[in-house]
Amino acid sequence: MIKTTLIALATVFVASMSPVSEARTATYVFCEKGGKLAWYEEHYSSRSVQATYYRCVNEGGSPSIVYI
């Protein structure tokens, strides 16, 4: 009885954690210039995020990264 209850609780715990680990699917890069939002882009790969980050820096902006 105790073993069955522990297995059921573990299954519920793992099932509830799965969406949390998959929740971060998109990354947004916001580029601010002069205190105003100049542009932003949505990316799904870390390489694209890095390229966009450096593009903002090269354009004279200050980038912010938001994971969703």
Side-chain angles (χ1 to χ4, degrees):
M1 179 72 174
I2 292 175
K3 186 176 180 181
T4 306
T5 304
L6 289 176
I7 291 173
L9 286 173
T11 304
V12 169
F13 179 76
V14 170
S16 68
M17 292 303 291
S18 181
V20 173
S21 64
E22 297 170 6
R24 194 183 95 199
T25 57
T27 303
Y28 292 88
V29 178
F30 295 92
C31 186
E32 293 184 19
K33 293 182 185 177
K36 294 184 180 180
L37 180 64
W39 52 265
Y40 74 94
E41 290 186 10
E42 177 181 5
H43 295 284
Y44 294 95
S45 74
S46 60
R47 191 170 198 166
S48 298
V49 171
Q50 184 178 18
T52 304
Y53 180 91
Y54 287 118
R55 187 179 98 207
C56 180
V57 171
N58 289 337
E59 292 178 0
S62 58
S64 299
I65 298 176
V66 177
Y67 300 101
I68 296 179

